[in-house]
Amino acid sequence: MKAFNFLLKEREEKPRTKGLTMVLDKGLGLETADSLMKISGEYVDYLKFGWGTAIVHEQNIIKSKVEMYQSYEITPYTGGTLFELANTANKLEEFFAEADNLRFNAVEISDGSTVISHEDKLDCIKQAKSKGFEVLSEIGKKDPRLDKELTLDERIEYMEKEISAGSSKVIVEAREGGKDIGIFDKSGNAKEDEIDYIVNNFNGNDILWEAPNKNQQVFFILKLGNDVNLGNISSDEITSLETLRRGLRGDTLGKL
């Protein structure tokens, strides 16, 4: 039983269909990650091995971490940059084989740092699905100038097509910093009108909003509810986000 359980606001338990939390692993050690999951793993649904971090660590360490995360009913997956590296090098078959060898059961398909036609991206989503992977796809560019070239209608069109191609969730790009990208301005504040437009024209349950900063998490929880899907959460902010979701912090206390 949780401490002060009589004050705890309940929410959907795992496996959740909404209120999903995606955490970013930027290179945690196995023991550190396991210790963290022992206390907060029940609040994590997806665990992304950030960008190309998996490449610079030994296979046995990555495999052990993947299996450890899975033991907590968490879906670990490879960051989109890793896919983009493999795609650019024409090594997608090797990429999928290695992901399977390391026991990943999900991958991210993105085009944030490289150029790939949307039709080719859709084909890659279908290819990953055919190999048995869950696919999370990401919409948006990591370069602010290029990202601004995407209109809202184009984003929604791409999101719809990627879900139809087999993505389980579409991630709205915000990068690790959450500033001057997609739905966030240069100060990291949410562009509410743009978010409203997306929500009004697309199934919100299919979206995983990257919201690395506390003010962004608070915004989404107050606007869309505590069962909004949020991602790129720092590993040391898991408990913080869960308390925001449950109205246990001043920012959301009495407001849910």
Side-chain angles (χ1 to χ4, degrees):
M1 179 181 291
K2 301 289 190 299
F4 301 98
N5 189 64
F6 55 90
L7 295 174
L8 187 63
K9 181 181 178 67
E10 295 298 324
R11 75 181 192 95
E12 188 176 353
E13 297 181 355
K14 292 200 286 189
R16 281 181 279 268
T17 58
K18 55 186 177 180
L20 304 175
T21 293
M22 178 266 276
V23 171
L24 186 62
D25 181 330
K26 297 184 284 186
L28 292 172
L30 175 60
E31 291 77 14
T32 299
D34 190 25
S35 178
L36 184 62
M37 292 305 105
K38 278 184 171 68
I39 193 169
S40 56
E42 65 183 291
Y43 308 127
V44 181
D45 303 281
Y46 288 100
L47 199 296
K48 176 163 67 174
F49 282 64
W51 47 98
T53 52
I55 297 178
V56 297
H57 293 155
E58 296 295 321
Q59 289 176 318
N60 64 309
I61 295 175
I62 298 300
K63 183 182 289 186
S64 294
K65 286 176 66 177
V66 167
E67 293 174 344
M68 180 274 294
Y69 285 130
Q70 290 169 339
S71 73
Y72 290 95
E73 297 183 84
I74 296 168
T75 299
Y77 68 97
T78 56
T81 301
L82 200 58
F83 156 77
E84 293 185 50
L85 285 168
N87 185 59
T88 300
N90 294 314
K91 293 185 179 295
L92 277 186
E93 285 299 327
E94 294 92 331
F95 166 73
F96 289 130
E98 179 74 339
D100 182 63
N101 176 58
L102 295 172
R103 303 291 189 266
F104 283 103
N105 49 12
V107 296
E108 181 180 308
I109 303 295
S110 68
D111 59 350
S113 300
T114 58
V115 177
I116 175 174
S117 73
H118 198 244
E119 286 305 314
D120 286 344
K121 186 181 180 185
L122 296 175
D123 287 341
C124 289
I125 292 171
K126 295 173 183 176
Q127 185 178 348
K129 284 287 292 182
S130 72
K131 294 182 179 296
F133 293 103
E134 178 182 355
V135 177
L136 296 93
S137 60
E138 186 174 66
I139 297 291
K141 293 291 185 180
K142 298 187 184 301
D143 184 328
R145 295 170 301 172
L146 296 176
D147 191 71
K148 287 179 173 61
E149 293 178 2
L150 282 173
T151 68
L152 282 175
D153 287 331
E154 285 175 326
R155 290 179 200 271
I156 292 168
E157 177 188 354
Y158 292 165
M159 292 162 71
E160 290 173 343
K161 288 182 176 179
E162 290 175 22
I163 290 293
S164 295
S167 289
S168 61
K169 289 287 180 290
V170 175
I171 303 167
V172 178
E173 175 71 78
R175 302 205 67 179
E176 183 189 358
K179 294 183 179 180
D180 201 24
I181 288 288
I183 55 172
F184 299 118
D185 64 21
K186 291 183 178 179
S187 298
N189 297 313
K191 300 175 183 175
E192 191 164 2
D193 289 346
E194 294 188 10
I195 292 168
D196 285 339
Y197 190 82
I198 293 173
V199 171
N200 290 334
N201 289 277
F202 190 79
N203 183 356
N205 287 335
D206 291 336
I207 302 175
L208 202 160
W209 305 93
E210 287 191 343
N213 300 321
K214 177 194 167 190
N215 69 302
Q216 298 164 351
Q217 297 158 20
V218 171
F219 168 82
F220 278 113
I221 290 170
L222 293 181
K223 183 171 184 62
L224 300 179
N226 71 341
D227 57 358
V228 62
N229 302 325
L230 298 176
N232 269 19
I233 307 303
S234 172
S235 58
D236 60 357
E237 293 291 330
I238 299 170
T239 296
S240 171
L241 173 57
E242 190 64 23
T243 60
L244 288 172
R245 288 190 186 276
R246 305 223 188 190
L248 300 173
R249 197 168 177 179
D251 307 85
T252 57
L253 178 64
K255 300 175 182 177
L256 299 176

